[in-house]
């Protein structure tokens, strides 16, 4: 029944690949996964001599309300949430070197996601194509309820190894993304993750769900 439902909504990739942000993106390939984290106040983790893989400095979620359809995201609502998260965390977009995007592999959803990220970032920076953009869904499929924890795991591994992992099938970018005028470039190969102006390495994880849920 799940397969039939996804087919009826035209959410599945016809070519067997999730082409997040790539040309020919027509849907996603389902994946399965499970993950867990131990969350702890930073001062407690340091006092207990724990190994700290990353620090969450801000997060938020909301619901877009009515939209053009069950699977149609609202870019204005997403942009507001991303901006609010950055302000709550007291983080400038200039200091973010990596965005782990939702990247469902649909031309409509991917282009609206980049639009919302661009709107939020450009409120406080005019820099172009300085921030890496990718999605783990191209590598492992869309694990749906485990997609968020998969994104977080990828970001933490990148922080641990100081490297940016490639997003598969994005060598030819979706032309609707309009990346040239945005703060973002697609991460198409393995590369060192260099710090920006000696600041800590920082990443933003963007996620949204069918029906209107946004998380950052």
């Amino acid at each position: 029944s799940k397969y039939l439902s996804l087919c009826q909504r035209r959410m599945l990739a016809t070519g067997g690949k999730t082409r997040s942000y790539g040309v020919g993106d027509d849907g996603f390939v389902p994946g399965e996964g499970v993950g867990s984290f131990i969350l702890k106040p930073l001062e407690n983790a340091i006092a207990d001599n724990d190994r700290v893989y990353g620090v969450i400095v801000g997060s938020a979620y909301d619901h877009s309300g009515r939209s053009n359809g069950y699977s149609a995201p609202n870019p204005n609502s997403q942009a507001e949430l991303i901006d609010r998260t950055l302000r709550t965390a007291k983080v400038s977009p200039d200091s973010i070197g990596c965005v782990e995007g939702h990247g469902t592999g649909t031309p409509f959803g991917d282009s609206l996601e980049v639009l919302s990220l661009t709107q939020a970032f450009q409120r406080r920076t005019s820099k172009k194509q300085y921030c890496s953009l990718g999605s783990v869904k191209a590598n492992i499929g869309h694990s749906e309820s485990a997609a968020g924890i998969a994104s977080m795991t990828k970001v933490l591994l990148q922080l641990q190894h100081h490297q940016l992992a490639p997003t598969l099938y994005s060598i030819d970018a979706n032309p609707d993304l309009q990346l040239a005028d945005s703060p973002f470039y697609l991460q198409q190969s393995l590369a060192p993750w260099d710090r920006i102006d000696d600041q800590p390495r920082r990443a933003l994880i963007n996620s949204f769900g069918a029906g209107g849920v946004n998380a950052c």
Side-chain angles (χ1 to χ4, degrees):
S1 65
K2 183 64 176 288
Y3 176 70
L4 288 173
S5 174
L6 292 173
C7 287
Q8 288 167 354
R9 298 181 189 278
R10 299 184 181 276
M11 297 172 74
L12 295 185
T14 57
K17 295 179 175 66
T18 304
R19 299 180 182 275
S20 302
Y21 311 117
V23 71
D25 46 352
D26 62 351
F28 64 82
V29 175
E32 293 183 348
V34 60
S36 63
F37 298 123
I38 296 175
L39 302 180
K40 209 170 188 179
L42 180 60
E43 58 183 15
N44 294 4
I46 293 173
D48 294 341
N49 201 30
D50 293 327
R51 180 176 295 176
V52 178
Y53 289 95
V55 180
I56 301 171
V57 294
S59 63
Y61 65 91
D62 71 3
H63 196 283
S64 296
R66 186 181 178 91
S67 70
N68 291 326
Y70 181 71
S71 59
N74 183 326
N76 295 324
S77 178
Q78 285 185 28
E80 289 296 328
L81 179 74
I82 295 165
D83 182 61
R84 175 155 54 90
T85 307
L86 290 170
R87 292 182 184 278
T88 300
K90 298 179 180 177
V91 167
S92 169
D94 281 344
S95 68
I96 295 176
C98 167
V99 166
E100 173 63 16
H102 193 72
T104 51
T106 61
F108 187 58
D110 285 359
S111 59
L112 288 184
E113 180 183 16
V114 172
L115 175 63
S116 65
L117 285 162
T118 300
Q119 286 181 358
F121 273 53
Q122 286 184 341
R123 293 179 186 182
R124 298 166 62 196
T125 183
S126 58
K127 294 171 66 175
K128 306 285 188 185
Q129 294 194 305
Y130 69 92
C131 182
S132 167
L133 172 66
S135 173
V136 73
K137 290 181 180 66
N139 304 74
I140 66 171
H142 191 343
S143 47
E144 299 191 67
S145 58
I149 208 161
S151 295
M152 184 79 86
T153 302
K154 175 187 170 184
V155 165
L156 292 175
L157 286 169
Q158 290 182 134
L159 286 169
Q160 180 183 0
H161 296 285
H162 300 173
Q163 291 182 307
L164 296 166
T167 295
L168 304 181
Y169 318 121
S170 66
I171 295 299
D172 295 317
N174 176 350
D176 296 330
L177 299 183
Q178 299 181 358
L179 292 170
D181 293 324
S182 80
F184 311 106
Y185 65 90
L186 289 182
Q187 191 63 46
Q188 298 169 325
S189 61
L190 183 67
W193 185 352
D194 298 322
R195 295 196 297 173
I196 300 175
D197 298 329
D198 293 326
Q199 298 187 81
R201 291 176 181 84
R202 290 190 176 123
L204 181 143
I205 297 174
N206 190 49
S207 185
F208 53 87
V213 175
N214 301 313
C216 182

